[in-house]
Amino acid sequence: IGAVAVVVAVVATPLLPQPALRFASGGAGGFGTTINPNLELGNDLRQPREIDVLSVRTTAPTAPYLRAVTLSRFDGAVWEPDTGDTVGVPDDAAVFDPVAVDAEIPLTEAVTDVVVDQLDSPWLPVPYPADEVTGLTGDWLGLPANRTIVTRSGSSREQEYQVTARVPRPTLEQIRSRPAGGAGLDDAVRALPADVPAVIAETAREVTADAQSPYDALLDLQSWFRGSSFRYSLDAPVDDGFDGAGLDAVARFLEQREGYCVHFASAFAVMARTLDMPARIVV
């Protein structure tokens, strides 16, 4: 079950060292741009000019979202990038096993070619759920728990690679008949700090009061955020921590109802967890 930038997910035990973060310039003669996994995106969104970071060609019916990193651990102020067991990325074999689905749910294969230009990141943008990734240069590791690709020493810059993904295509009835979550989920995808502002849980219950299934509850949240009550804005105030993803910023966002992707995604994830639905953020 997924919506906006939030997905119900499986998480692995943290084992992989955190890649060193690189903050690169987008100006003339600079190093391009990078991916900030801590969701401090205000300055990036308000930079003076656009930068071409990559191009995509795909056999999928619509352009796929490119997953770079997932965030599950939340201490009330910061969402932390997920780590976990890793596998090597061979150039002539599948990196990950096909996604596990019930026999009656079909899988549709799509092939996506990615050419990276001005993106200098240790996290590689790949369509979800990636099976095979070929054409990379350097040493790359795959995290099977979230199907992301990361390097300890290299960069996504000037990489050209091809990704094969087999996407589950369940019917609406099949989605509604499934519970949120599943066996083996880490506690991190449900955990919330003790001091969650009351307005967050109260609003979540109010918005989803008529939902008959976990999917319907998530759909109600999505429709509410996309409705006329909210306005997407890159001019949201940056004072008092509102330019972040913490609980105070979420509570203020629900009152002000104006912000950008970080605010929508953080609010969605926290509200889903108050409804006991496992959720994390995908960058």
Side-chain angles (χ1 to χ4, degrees), residues 42 45-46 230-237 242-243 253 256-264:
L45 293 171
R46 288 181 283 272
F230 286 85
R231 189 175 79 89
Y232 188 94
S233 171
L234 299 184
D235 300 320
F242 186 63
D243 209 28
F253 169 66
Q256 182 164 322
R257 302 195 177 183
E258 180 179 88
Y260 52 87
C261 55
V262 167
H263 303 111
F264 284 89

Side-chain angles (χ1 to χ4, degrees), residues 65-126:
Y65 279 104
L66 301 180
R67 169 177 294 196
V69 58
T70 63
L71 316 175
S72 296
R73 298 185 304 280
F74 180 54
D75 63 4
V78 177
W79 292 87
E80 293 290 339
D82 291 334
T83 56
D85 294 320
T86 63
V87 295
V89 179
D91 195 52
D92 57 354
V95 181
F96 306 119
D97 294 332
V99 63
V101 297
D102 294 341
E104 67 269 23
I105 297 177
L107 297 172
T108 301
E109 181 175 301
V111 178
T112 301
D113 293 293
V114 182
V115 178
V116 180
D117 187 8
Q118 302 295 317
L119 178 64
D120 182 21
S121 167
W123 291 280
L124 190 75
V126 293

